[in-house]
Amino acid sequence: MALGTLRPWRRGPLRRRSDVAETWLALVTGVLIVVGAPAAGLAAAHAVDDGAARQPPGRHTVSAVLTEDPPARIGVDTSAGLGTRTHATVRWTDAHGRTRTGMTTVAPDLRAGDRTSAWLDRHGSLLRDPVTPGRARSESIAVGTVTATSAGLLLFGTERAGRALLNRRRYDQWEREWAAEDPRWGRPAA
C-alpha cells in the first residue's frame, strides 16, 4: 500500500468521505487477501484430506493380472512417470478361490498378462478408482492452491469494483458542483 493511500485520513479541506471509504476498502481488502485467502485455501485442502481419510474401512490390495492392453493415451508421455493412469480389465482370485474380473485403474505402460495391484473393499468388490495417499495429497494441494488463488482474485475484483463505484460517485459529485459554479464563472456571449 502506497503512502499516498493513507493521506485521506489526514484532516484537510480537500478530504472527501469517498477518499476515506476508498482507503478503508483498500486496507480491508489487503488484510483479507493476506489472511483470508490462505485460510480459505487451507480449509479447502483440509476438507479434501478429511474426505480422503474417510475411505471405506477394510480396503486391501490383491495381486491381479491384466486381461487386455490398456487403451492408448494419445499425446501422453508415460516415460516421464507423471502418474498418469488409465482403466483396464483385470483378473484376480478372491478369498474363496473364485476367479473374478473387473475394471480398475492401472499404469498405462502395462500390457495384457502383466501383474498389478487391485484394491478391494471389505466385501471383496473391486474399487475402480481408489484414492492413494499420494493422489490425496496432490489433490489437496491443488484444491488448496486453486481456492486460495480464487479467493484472492475475488477479493481483488471486489475491491476494484468498489473503487470504480466510488470513482463514479466522485465524478457525479464533481459534475453537480461544477454545474452549480458554472453560472458564476461563465459569461454569456455578447
Side-chain angles (χ1 to χ4, degrees), residues 6-164:
L6 297 176
R7 285 186 171 224
W9 278 327
R10 292 184 183 170
R11 300 254 181 238
L14 299 179
R15 185 182 76 165
R16 299 171 289 197
R17 283 187 295 173
S18 61
D19 295 332
V20 175
E22 182 178 1
T23 302
W24 274 108
L25 180 66
L27 184 65
V28 168
T29 302
V31 168
L32 286 175
I33 287 174
V34 169
V35 176
L42 283 173
H46 286 303
V48 171
D49 272 344
D50 291 346
R54 280 186 248 127
Q55 290 295 317
R59 288 185 336 153
H60 61 282
T61 60
V62 294
S63 179
V65 178
L66 265 69
T67 61
E68 62 183 14
D69 288 343
R73 306 275 311 252
I74 299 172
V76 176
D77 180 20
T78 60
S79 64
L82 298 176
T84 57
R85 308 284 284 172
T86 187
H87 291 99
T89 305
V90 295
R91 181 180 62 241
W92 75 98
T93 305
D94 67 12
H96 303 292
R98 293 178 295 208
T99 301
R100 302 192 50 195
T101 61
M103 210 48 145
T104 191
T105 55
V106 296
D109 57 348
L110 295 177
R111 297 291 163 240
D114 288 349
R115 288 204 156 300
T116 187
S117 294
W119 284 91
L120 304 178
D121 64 12
R122 66 178 176 204
H123 304 295
S125 299
L126 185 66
L127 297 173
R128 183 176 171 107
D129 294 310
V131 178
T132 61
R135 182 173 157 196
R137 187 178 318 107
S138 62
E139 283 179 4
S140 68
I141 289 170
V143 167
T145 302
V146 168
T147 302
T149 303
S150 299
L153 289 173
L154 180 67
L155 289 166
F156 181 73
T158 303
E159 189 269 339
R160 286 293 165 188
R163 184 175 286 191

Side-chain angles (χ1 to χ4, degrees), residues 157-171:
T158 303
E159 189 269 339
R160 286 293 165 188
R163 184 175 286 191
L165 289 173
L166 287 170
N167 281 337
R168 190 161 73 181
R169 181 177 174 193
R170 280 191 281 253
Y171 294 147

Side-chain angles (χ1 to χ4, degrees), residues 170-188:
R170 280 191 281 253
Y171 294 147
D172 289 343
Q173 181 182 5
W174 184 73
E175 285 290 330
R176 285 191 307 272
E177 290 173 0
W178 184 256
E181 294 295 322
D182 194 33
R184 290 198 287 170
W185 288 84
R187 303 250 192 265

